[in-house]
Amino acid sequence: MTIPEGEIPPRREPVFKAPWPSMTLVGALLGAYALQVFVLGEAAYQAFGFSPAGLETGGWPGLFTALFVHGNLAHVLMNTAGALAFGAPVARLLGVRGLGPVVFFAFFLVCGALANYGFARLHPGADVLLVGASGSVFGLIGAATRILAGRGGLAPVFAPRVLAMTAAWIGLNLVVGLLGASPGLDAGQAVAWEAHVFGFLAGLLLIGPAVWIARRG
């Protein structure tokens, strides 16, 4: 293609504007679900799901592995959509170079593990299986709440706008808990809304230290 002298070609916008760490996270969740469906099958739930009862007998790896197991296609698609929407501002704030991506992925894992652990502390010894990345996604939502309130920066935890949005998210989860149902769940499945709340609070509080660590690199 030739360009007449003096004319500036229009700048092409990238198809995907999300930072690569958040796109990679989405790919990892979808890839893990494909492995679950086409290779592992039903065995994935017992092998990698998280159980409060199992935690008491040394099943702590499930705190992390359960984040990559999902109940069905709708479940994983909802979580990947949330990871992309709310992970993008978090990844941008942490940075896409140096320590930024490492901190981003660690943040995702830690929020999810704390969400599962919080559920286990509320339901000690419960013989139920938790699967899905929603606790981690709510950690990203918690972090994004402070970023949104800070207009791209990081608003204080007790800023009025942060408190208002926190109340709204927690209230939403309480309603879901009372209804006992949510889109994307099959019959017999329930929403671990308590894990969502723990994940949200973890993200809300840990994004500050995460930014500090990321910027040291």
Side-chain angles (χ1 to χ4, degrees):
M1 182 181 75
T2 61
I3 301 170
E5 187 176 354
E7 288 191 17
I8 300 175
R11 185 168 63 90
R12 285 188 176 183
E13 293 291 336
V15 176
F16 297 106
K17 293 184 178 181
W20 72 262
S22 56
M23 293 295 296
T24 301
L25 177 59
V26 168
L29 293 173
L30 292 175
Y33 183 70
L35 180 65
Q36 172 189 336
V37 171
F38 297 112
V39 179
L40 300 174
E42 294 293 320
Y45 296 113
Q46 292 296 330
F48 300 108
F50 171 70
S51 168
L55 181 63
E56 298 181 1
T57 58
W60 62 266
L63 291 168
F64 300 94
T65 58
L67 306 177
F68 298 93
V69 181
H70 286 85
N72 53 36
L73 181 60
H75 189 200
V76 72
L77 289 179
M78 288 176 63
N79 279 335
T80 53
L84 186 60
F86 296 100
V90 177
R92 290 192 188 98
L93 183 65
L94 295 175
V96 296
R97 295 182 178 86
L99 282 179
V102 176
V103 174
F104 174 78
F105 295 125
F107 181 83
F108 178 85
L109 292 173
V110 169
C111 286
L114 289 175
N116 289 335
Y117 183 78
F119 181 92
R121 292 303 89 195
L122 286 180
H123 305 279
D127 190 18
V128 296
L129 274 180
L130 271 68
V131 295
S134 54
S136 292
V137 170
F138 269 92
L140 296 174
I141 293 173
T145 294
R146 291 181 63 185
I147 296 170
L148 178 62
R151 300 183 184 276
L154 203 58
V157 173
F158 295 107
R161 194 175 182 193
V162 173
L163 292 177
M165 287 191 285
T166 296
W169 281 112
I170 292 178
L172 174 63
N173 275 285
L174 289 174
V175 170
V176 169
L178 289 173
L179 294 177
S182 177
L185 293 181
D186 293 332
Q189 296 177 337
V191 179
W193 63 270
E194 303 97 325
H196 296 176
V197 173
F198 277 109
F200 180 90
L201 294 176
L204 193 75
L205 298 175
L206 294 181
I207 186 59
V211 170
W212 186 87
I213 295 171
R215 291 179 179 174
R216 299 286 73 76

